[in-house]
Amino acid sequence: MRTSRTVRMLAAVAVVLLLALPLIAEAAGHPAMTSLATRIIIYGIAAASLNLVLGYGGMVSFGHAAFFGIGGYVVGILYQHYMDGTPFLGFIPGTDQFLVTVPAAILVGGLVAGLIGALSLRTSGVQFIMITLAFAQMLFFLFVSLKAYGGDDGLIIRRANEALGLNLRDRPTMYYVCLTIAAGFFLLLWRLVNSRFGNVLVGLRQSERRMAAIGLPVYRYKLAAFVISGMGAGLAGALMANFLRYASPDMLHWTKSGELMIMVILGGVGTLFGPVIGAAVFLVLESMLASWTEHWQLGVGLVLLFVVLYTQGGVDALVRRLGGGRP
């Protein structure tokens, strides 16, 4: 009883802090905190999307940056064609409307995930890891070669998308938009992982043979999870493109997939909010260590090593254990 009361109190405090964060940052004279928090929210969505297949489904995908980058490029390409006044592929009109570009990024991210997953999920283990990595790298080099969309230099989005009269160039406004979307995303994710579908995914992680033996279509469940995960990553990529007003091939590079995987591991594999905690730890460490040395990755690696060896489930499990709850 005491533990549940403590959890509710901590959750209430966290909600109040999240809502008041831009005001606190401004009052403290550190407005950059709002931008950092926005990045944490966006990467938290991307990492949680990866966690759906990695933590719940047991599918180690090393190509999720592909869906993240595609989400960003959907926003950038549609904006460029809107500014040029030319349709994409000769029939798709460009647009700068947030309520059009973001759903489009989610849809395209899901379609690409469906195509990649349909082939990749016919394998497992190391083969699955390498195939997802190979597809992501192919898409990376594809966008590098597209000189019409910036090539190596990426695609500049000179103005953030229009969203119901909101000024998305204003950092607090963008923060609240991302926070609202993240709240809806994690609500849907919570419903999903606590549904029959989520239970099947956990069963697949433990033993695919047993799930197949009781008559469940294993391949279809895994493909559905992979598509949903790709849609979430596409959403995060679209938000990041609007936040940075820039889409780059680096968003699709395998190192970005590695960063998302580190966030999941740091926060806690197979937990709902662990990836957000992991994103916060990773980005705060990056910000702090990069100000001291250009070799900040070494510090992150040491922290990751400590988390893997001693927390028994990531930062989320460590916090639960310190709070007296079960990890």
Side-chain angles (χ1 to χ4, degrees):
M1 181 69 70
R2 183 177 301 174
T3 300
S4 62
R5 189 182 303 118
T6 302
V7 170
R8 286 197 297 269
M9 289 179 60
L10 290 175
V13 170
V15 170
V16 171
L17 288 176
L18 286 172
L19 292 175
L21 189 141
L23 300 176
I24 296 172
E26 193 67 33
H30 297 288
M33 285 175 57
T34 304
S35 296
L36 177 61
T38 306
R39 291 178 62 217
I40 289 171
I41 291 171
I42 295 172
Y43 276 116
I45 293 173
S49 300
L50 172 60
N51 188 48
L52 178 64
V53 294
L54 173 62
Y56 289 96
M59 295 170 272
V60 185
S61 169
F62 216 82
H64 253 60
F67 316 129
F68 180 74
I70 282 173
Y73 265 99
V74 167
V75 173
I77 290 172
L78 289 177
Y79 176 81
Q80 177 166 310
H81 284 279
Y82 167 77
M83 295 301 294
D84 293 345
T86 58
F88 176 61
L89 298 178
F91 67 95
I92 300 175
T95 180
D96 69 339
Q97 295 300 308
F98 186 84
L99 295 180
V100 176
T101 59
V102 172
I106 295 172
L107 177 61
V108 175
L111 289 173
V112 174
L115 291 173
I116 293 177
L119 297 173
S120 303
L121 291 170
R122 298 184 183 279
T123 64
S124 61
V126 176
Q127 291 85 358
F128 176 76
I129 297 173
M130 296 310 296
I131 288 178
T132 54
L133 172 62
F135 275 118
Q137 285 302 98
M138 283 191 286
L139 288 171
F140 166 76
F141 286 112
L142 171 64
F143 281 98
V144 166
S145 67
L146 294 178
K147 302 304 180 184
Y149 300 118
D152 265 329
D153 297 326
L155 193 56
I156 297 175
I157 304 169
R158 300 194 180 277
R159 294 182 61 186
N161 287 169
E162 298 288 335
L164 302 175
L166 299 174
N167 178 17
L168 296 186
R169 294 191 66 173
D170 179 60
R171 291 312 190 197
T173 301
M174 187 63 187
Y175 167 81
Y176 284 119
V177 169
C178 291
L179 183 62
T180 302
I181 292 173
F185 172 81
F186 279 98
L187 177 61
L188 290 173
L189 192 61
W190 175 79
R191 293 291 300 273
L192 185 66
V193 298
N194 288 284
S195 66
R196 180 179 179 272
F197 180 83
N199 292 332
V200 171
L201 282 184
V202 174
L204 291 174
R205 183 190 66 198
Q206 296 173 349
S207 176
E208 285 189 26
R209 288 186 178 181
R210 290 181 182 177
M211 301 305 286
I214 63 176
L216 289 172
V218 170
Y219 177 79
R220 277 187 281 175
Y221 271 100
K222 292 172 67 175
L223 181 59
F226 200 81
V227 170
I228 294 170
S229 180
M231 293 171 73
L235 167 63
L239 294 176
M240 185 60 76
N242 272 288
F243 174 67
L244 298 176
R245 299 196 299 280
Y246 178 67
S248 164
D250 289 340
M251 296 175 72
L252 298 102
H253 199 258
W254 69 268
T255 54
K256 187 65 67 178
S257 296
E259 288 178 4
L260 295 178
M261 193 168 293
I262 289 172
M263 292 173 190
V264 173
I265 296 170
L266 279 174
V269 178
T271 61
L272 185 63
F273 293 108
V276 182
I277 298 172
V281 171
F282 181 86
L283 292 175
V284 169
L285 281 174
E286 178 187 8
S287 179
M288 292 175 57
L289 296 176
S291 64
W292 298 340
T293 175
E294 62 181 8
H295 305 295
W296 59 269
Q297 294 95 336
L298 176 62
V300 173
L302 292 174
V303 172
L304 179 62
L305 187 63
F306 172 82
V307 168
V308 171
L309 292 178
Y310 298 108
T311 62
Q312 299 177 3
V315 177
D316 181 82
L318 180 62
V319 171
R320 289 175 184 272
R321 196 177 294 112
L322 293 174
R326 291 187 303 172

